[in-house]
Amino acid sequence: MTTDNTDAIDDAAAPSDETTAEPTESDDRAANRARTPGGGVAPEPEPIEPAAPEEFGLVQAWWGDGKGKTTAAMGMGFRAAGHGYRVHMLQFMKGGADSVEGVRGEYNAIAAMPGFSYENAGHYGWHGLLDGSGDDEHAAKAEAAFERAEALVAGAADADLTDPLPLDDDPDEGVHMLILDEVLYAADRGLVDPEDVVALAESKSENLELVLTGSHDEPDYLDGVADLITNVRKEAHPFDAGHRARRGTEY
């Protein structure tokens, strides 16, 4: 008598209900996307409303002989303002020069950005160059700019930076991020005392993000004071080939 084992063979070959399929590569990617803060969904622009940062309060220093220190600081400023945080930039030593036009793209962009404001406290020309500007005039401008920086830091100390701030409010009433552009150059040139820069950084309120830029020389005095120190190093620069400042890249 012949026994038909076809059903038994089929049962043995068929996967058990308890068998789990191996995850595919696409499954892994989907799982990784789901674990990202945005859940793998491409971000969409949202209206800018006043908000307060949860993790601000560090001191940043951007120095070096490469192009991009101010650009990086302003980029962070725009990013912060895009989240609804109040940002202000005070510029030292940038009053203008014969190599740039009077209108600068960054000023137009900042003026159009809610929550981002700026002021320029620099003297025309550049300290130490034969451009008709006097050293004493540069020193007076830098001193006034530093006093203004101290007032802005004091205003932030009086404000509750854990709360949203009005986007159109005077920066003296408090800001979440303060950018002191070229203050390290002013210190490097002896127009500002480096120890005063240290004292300013150490006196700031706990939740104020303070961003310092400038100087081709390393600001050693900020060791142990700044939480982030970035050296923007030059590998090549069009200025070395005789190019002047270009509209849309340098101003």
Side-chain angles (χ1 to χ4, degrees), residues 86-100:
R86 186 69 177 87
V87 181
H88 187 70
M89 178 174 70
L90 171 63
Q91 290 192 307
F92 290 66
M93 302 183 68
K94 280 187 174 174
D98 62 1
S99 60
V100 299

Side-chain angles (χ1 to χ4, degrees), residues 50-130:
E54 297 179 356
E55 298 179 312
F56 272 19
L58 302 185
V59 176
Q60 302 188 28
W62 294 74
W63 72 282
D65 63 354
K67 167 181 165 57
K69 300 179 287 293
T70 296
T71 303
M74 286 193 296
M76 283 190 294
F78 276 103
R79 178 176 288 160
H83 285 291
Y85 308 153
R86 186 69 177 87
V87 181
H88 187 70
M89 178 174 70
L90 171 63
Q91 290 192 307
F92 290 66
M93 302 183 68
K94 280 187 174 174
D98 62 1
S99 60
V100 299
E101 300 174 22
V103 177
R104 301 186 194 175
E106 60 264 37
Y107 295 167
N108 294 338
I110 289 173
M113 183 72 183
F116 201 165
S117 56
Y118 77 92
E119 57 190 291
N120 185 301
H123 181 64
Y124 186 87
W126 192 254
H127 180 259
L129 297 184
L130 299 177

